[in-house]
Amino acid sequence: MCFFRYGGEPGAMKPVKAVTLWWVLLLVSRLGATRKESLEEGSFYYGTFPLGFTWGVGSSAFQTEGAWDQDGKGPSIWDTFTHSRKGNVLGEETADVACNGYYKVQEDVALLRELHVSHYRFSLSWPRLLPTGVRADGVNKKGIQFYSDFIDALLNSNITPIVTLHHWDLPQLLQVNYGGWQNVSTANYFSDYASLCFEAFGDRVKHWVTFSDPRTMAEKGYETGHHAPGLKLHGTGLYKAAHHVIKAHAQAWHSYNNTWRSKQQGLVGISLNCDWGEPVDISNPKDIEAAERYLQFCLGWFANPIYAGDYPQVMKDHIGRKSAEQGLDMSRLPVFSLQEKSYIKGTSDFLGLGHFTTRYITERNYPSRQGPSYQNDRDLVELVDPNWPDLGSKWLHSVPWGFRRLLNFAQTQYGNPPIYVTENGASQKLHCTQLCDEWRIQYLKGYTNEMLKEPFLSYMQIMTEIMVPTVCTLCILIAAVLLMLLLRSLS
Ligand SMILES: *[C@@H]1O[C@H](CO)[C@@H](O)[C@H](O)[C@H]1NC(C)=O
Ligand SMILES: *[C@@H]1O[C@H](CO)[C@@H](O)[C@H](O)[C@H]1NC(C)=O
């Protein structure tokens, strides 16, 4: 395997401890029996793909390119993190060479043609284009040339590029000099970088993803320290990082909308990863609330500001209350000004969704005195059903029905936006050296099948378009009759 596994960090491989984010729950077999996905081999049951449905595969720069210090590329925080030899990464692996993709443009495009995909998503390395991260410090021409050639090679093969601007590999100098995503200035540097990319590649690239899975970047980079830059600023750093990422996203979208859209006619969105959170006991309101909280702290954290103009109310409430209980005069969750809210709202032309697995969620009240942390703020526990098939990573279980539920949730929460599934799939089992990936075929079939299912929206529409007005009309009628009776009895 050449692909650098971000998930290969030692934290992901440790045995489950009390503090681990999810616990193994021995769910009663009733749940397992009624909700277990069917694993039998079979074809797709839910019809065919609609016209215009597109299949693609994807990668990211740090995980595949290699050539980490070649042709003028500056270091990224991931180069530094993997080079530090402090046991940051399982097996002390680096991505200095990875798939050597920097030198394999023609081979990679040939492989994509063989796969018959129509779209390929990849990310640009910010420090390959801007070695210090700052546009004013100089552009690396060889970096521009590399991506330009790659885009041309894709288009010559009729493969549409979907380009991610930032997939975690922040220029190291922005981290060292300014504190990286802890500093709001990084949003400006990002916006300058984004404009450079629109300018250089936007004549050919029509699908832009500003950030890929910024939640993991914030949580693992600034809360747990399992990912670069390896900071453990519990309960504060991740919210600040996310706050600046959201601003950076909005700035890049506006820059595209104001300067480039009219000429280039492309789309700019964000890609958010989230697992589905299912209440352990669907008849327990506390579990239902906890599962909702799980989703809002995961997807809503980024999607709500972008689609509705602010953080989810439940995040503001919980983090605000905990912060006060911890003796702080301000919430650890930063606040958007009114101006910022309207600036950020509506800045995604599509919603990119990354999805892999599902958790059962139950409420757990953590005392605030345990100190600030993301875990403490959410007041919940994540569990897995031991009957779920597990795949190549400890966190990854195949639970196709969770995917349908997440799609429904995203559709209804964010006003039925166009959704691109930007990540889904099953990681390699380490011991599997041959083509023994029947389990992966099952996983992909199961998840694809759920995507094909009739959206729940039609049911929701019945609810909102027929039920709600009917109930309202009935209420008004009853109120009118009661009022008449009351007036009559009075007169
Ligand atoms: C944030 O970045 C700016 C440069 O854009 C710098 O002047 C400032 O000192 C940085 N703040 C921190 C706390 O590092
Ligand atoms: C996007 O650009 C168009 C055309 O310039 C403009 O009319 C519109 O107001 C912009 N949208 C936002 C939200 O700024």
Side-chain angles (χ1 to χ4, degrees):
M1 272 297 279
C2 63
F3 203 79
F4 178 82
R5 280 163 64 105
Y6 284 120
E9 89 275 0
M13 304 302 289
K14 277 181 202 149
V16 180
K17 291 189 302 183
V19 293
T20 309
L21 279 181
W22 54 84
W23 298 26
V24 176
L25 169 74
L26 291 166
L27 279 166
V28 281
S29 58
R30 182 179 54 86
L31 281 180
T34 51
R35 299 201 202 159
K36 206 165 70 182
E37 63 280 16
S38 113
L39 259 184
E40 69 269 14
E41 278 189 49
S43 53
F44 296 105
Y45 299 122
Y46 299 102
T48 51
F49 291 105
L51 209 66
F53 183 92
T54 47
W55 278 107
V57 290
S59 68
S60 81
F62 180 76
Q63 290 175 288
T64 57
E65 280 179 10
W68 77 280
D69 60 349
Q70 298 297 297
D71 287 346
K73 176 181 169 293
S76 77
I77 56 171
W78 269 95
D79 291 316
T80 308
F81 191 69
T82 50
H83 291 165
S84 78
R85 305 263 169 230
K86 285 193 201 131
N88 283 338
V89 178
L90 189 71
E92 307 233 304
E93 275 188 45
T94 72
D96 293 358
V97 177
C99 307
N100 219 9
Y102 187 70
Y103 298 109
K104 293 191 170 174
V105 169
Q106 293 310 326
E107 288 98 316
D108 282 347
V109 173
L111 287 170
L112 289 168
R113 272 203 307 268
E114 237 172 79
L115 283 173
H116 295 286
V117 290
S118 60
H119 289 64
Y120 180 56
R121 182 170 90 106
F122 63 98
S123 78
L124 308 178
S125 159
W126 182 350
R128 193 180 292 291
L129 290 164
L130 300 174
T132 68
V134 179
R135 189 173 179 179
D137 291 343
V139 176
N140 179 22
K141 293 263 155 49
K142 287 191 171 165
I144 300 267
Q145 194 62 48
F146 168 67
Y147 291 118
S148 192
D149 292 347
F150 187 57
I151 290 162
D152 286 342
L154 289 171
L155 291 171
N156 285 336
S157 293
N158 283 324
I159 298 165
T160 304
I162 297 192
V163 176
T164 303
L165 292 170
H166 190 49
H167 198 129
W168 306 359
D169 48 352
L170 186 77
Q172 170 68 8
L173 287 176
L174 288 184
Q175 190 68 45
V176 177
N177 294 338
Y178 309 127
W181 288 112
Q182 292 302 290
N183 190 329
V184 70
S185 294
T186 301
N188 299 327
Y189 297 131
F190 176 79
S191 178
D192 293 345
Y193 157 63
S195 298
L196 169 74
C197 299
F198 299 147
E199 186 181 327
F201 313 120
D203 55 338
R204 290 155 290 162
V205 173
K206 304 301 168 190
H207 298 79
W208 296 99
V209 175
T210 53
F211 289 87
S212 187
D213 192 7
R215 181 187 53 82
T216 299
M217 187 171 87
E219 192 187 328
K220 299 211 167 178
Y222 296 87
E223 166 91 4
T224 68
H226 286 151
H227 284 183
L231 299 174
K232 295 177 181 159
L233 311 167
H234 296 291
T236 55
L238 81 169
Y239 298 131
K240 225 185 215 185
H243 199 68
H244 298 150
V245 162
I246 293 164
K247 286 187 180 186
H249 161 82
Q251 265 179 260
W253 186 91
H254 279 284
S255 142
Y256 191 82
N257 190 57
N258 294 340
T259 311
W260 305 103
R261 192 192 295 281
S262 55
K263 280 168 259 166
Q264 301 182 345
Q265 307 285 328
L267 302 171
V268 179
I270 193 167
S271 174
L272 305 175
N273 281 30
C274 193
D275 297 335
W276 174 247
E278 179 76 7
V280 165
D281 177 359
I282 49 168
S283 63
N284 180 349
K286 296 232 175 264
D287 281 0
I288 293 172
E289 272 176 35
E292 167 83 18
R293 210 156 54 236
Y294 171 85
L295 292 163
Q296 296 298 355
F297 268 78
C298 177
L299 188 62
W301 183 6
F302 292 85
N304 221 69
I306 290 169
Y307 283 98
D310 201 2
Y311 291 118
Q313 192 60 42
V314 71
M315 281 188 85
K316 295 197 283 184
D317 291 347
H318 260 245
I319 301 166
R321 176 170 59 76
K322 297 255 178 180
S323 302
E325 286 168 5
Q326 284 152 355
L328 304 166
D329 12 313
M330 277 202 326
S331 175
R332 286 177 283 101
L333 184 69
V335 174
F336 291 117
S337 70
L338 277 179
Q339 203 182 0
E340 286 168 343
K341 285 178 193 174
S342 65
Y343 182 77
I344 291 163
K345 187 177 171 178
T347 55
S348 211
D349 302 322
F350 59 85
L351 175 64
L353 262 191
H355 175 76
F356 292 93
T357 189
T358 284
R359 296 277 175 263
Y360 277 111
I361 307 295
T362 187
E363 182 187 58
R364 165 173 306 216
N365 289 306
Y366 295 101
S368 296
R369 63 183 144 73
Q370 282 181 351
S373 76
Y374 181 62
Q375 173 77 336
N376 189 292
D377 288 338
R378 293 187 308 168
D379 279 332
L380 57 86
V381 181
E382 300 175 29
L383 311 135
V384 297
D385 182 340
N387 291 321
W388 289 342
D390 64 329
L391 305 168
S393 301
K394 212 175 186 74
W395 52 269
L396 181 54
H397 298 260
S398 179
V399 194
W401 54 260
F403 186 28
R404 182 70 257 162
R405 291 181 192 196
L406 183 75
L407 287 168
N408 296 342
F409 178 85
Q411 263 182 319
T412 49
Q413 287 271 314
Y414 309 119
N416 199 17
I419 293 178
Y420 295 162
V421 178
T422 41
E423 287 187 28
N424 175 250
S427 45
Q428 174 107 358
K429 287 202 177 191
L430 284 178
H431 58 261
C432 185
T433 51
Q434 303 296 316
L435 267 183
C436 46
D437 62 352
E438 187 62 26
W439 44 273
R440 177 181 280 132
I441 297 171
Q442 290 304 327
Y443 176 98
L444 289 171
K445 271 192 175 172
Y447 278 73
T448 310
N449 216 1
E450 290 295 325
M451 197 165 42
L452 275 168
K453 277 187 182 175
E454 271 302 303
F456 178 68
L457 196 69
S458 48
Y459 169 69
M460 282 305 292
Q461 273 167 350
I462 291 172
M463 281 298 287
T464 51
E465 286 171 16
I466 300 172
M467 284 290 284
V468 173
T470 310
V471 171
C472 287
T473 314
L474 274 174
C475 287
I476 293 167
L477 276 173
I478 291 167
V481 170
L482 287 176
L483 191 67
M484 253 167 53
L485 289 175
L486 185 73
L487 288 174
R488 247 186 220 178
S489 69
L490 282 179
S491 61

